[in-house]
Amino acid sequence: MLCLCNGLSDRQVAQCIREGAARPRDIYAACGGRAQCGTCTRLLLRLLRASAPPDVHGHQEHQETGHAR
């Protein structure tokens, strides 16, 4: 379980990311939940950033702002 408050599994989160989730709130919404205690938000952000395609300069795009890191 990645999110105990919403009962989100790693499989559910991975599926949401594959389907285009760009922010933690997109994942919560797709799974019928919402941010509650916030403990999983950092993990969700890391997973989203790790899955982001590199920009034209080879940097990973920051999901929240769209800026390269």
Side-chain angles (χ1 to χ4, degrees), residues 1-8 28 33-40:
M1 267 312 144
L2 295 181
C3 176
L4 295 176
C5 297
N6 290 292
L8 300 179
Y28 297 129
R34 62 181 176 83
Q36 293 183 38
C37 77
T39 301
C40 63

Side-chain angles (χ1 to χ4, degrees), residues 9-21 27 30-31:
S9 70
D10 55 340
R11 288 181 184 179
Q12 287 175 295
V13 170
Q15 182 68 30
C16 290
I17 293 171
R18 281 192 300 274
E19 292 175 356
I27 295 170
C31 296

